[in-house]
Amino acid sequence: MNNKGYMTIEASFIVPIVLFGIFFTIMGLMLSYERGYIIAEENVALYEIPLTNIRNDSVEGYLSGREYTGGVVIGSASVGTSYSSHKAKCSGVLKIYGTNSVSSSREVDVCTGRLRRWQLYDDLCEE
């Protein structure tokens, strides 16, 4: 019985490495969840702008009135919005284990969207 110390070495080296690996995996998953949530909320806000706000040129007021950080569980987040020359942009800052930036943008009410829609209607009309 000369091998009495092998369990001590296993417990003192391998178990902490496994525990730190699990801990960092969970932290990375939480960071990915928070970033994904902010990106999803920004995209929902950008693509659900009501037509009345676009016609009245009050897109920036609509975007700034939305709540983007309702599902942030850990850390803190802030989202700023801007709208100029038919380009809406949401840029957020997520503070978890450091600072992470998240941003989304979309061109609102431009000619290309209307052309694609009329091309689709034209194809349906021909059939």
Side-chain angles (χ1 to χ4, degrees):
M1 296 270 195
N2 293 333
N3 295 328
K4 292 182 180 179
Y6 77 95
M7 287 298 284
T8 306
I9 292 178
E10 181 180 331
S12 65
F13 289 115
I14 296 175
V15 172
I17 290 172
V18 169
L19 290 177
F20 278 119
I22 292 170
F23 176 73
F24 286 123
T25 301
I26 291 172
M27 301 249 294
L29 289 173
M30 288 188 309
L31 177 64
S32 297
Y33 168 77
E34 300 292 342
R35 283 180 51 93
Y37 182 82
I38 297 293
I39 289 172
E41 287 297 317
E42 288 177 354
N43 284 326
V44 164
L46 288 173
Y47 285 94
E48 287 187 351
I49 300 172
L51 189 58
T52 56
N53 288 9
I54 294 171
R55 288 183 180 160
N56 297 335
D57 202 26
S58 61
V59 174
E60 189 168 2
Y62 171 77
L63 290 175
S64 63
R66 295 274 310 228
E67 177 63 33
Y68 299 96
T69 60
V72 175
V73 179
I74 298 171
S76 64
S78 62
V79 176
T81 60
S82 66
Y83 177 73
S84 63
S85 65
H86 298 286
K87 182 152 184 156
K89 183 175 183 179
C90 295
S91 56
V93 175
L94 181 63
K95 294 181 182 177
I96 300 175
Y97 318 118
T99 303
N100 298 302
S101 62
V102 178
S103 64
S104 300
S105 63
R106 174 188 176 221
E107 291 183 355
V108 179
D109 196 32
V110 293
C111 185
T112 57
R114 288 191 294 262
L115 284 175
R116 288 186 192 130
R117 184 172 57 236
W118 285 110
Q119 287 171 349
L120 174 67
Y121 292 155
D122 187 38
D123 291 341
L124 292 176
C125 182
E126 289 177 359
E127 294 176 1

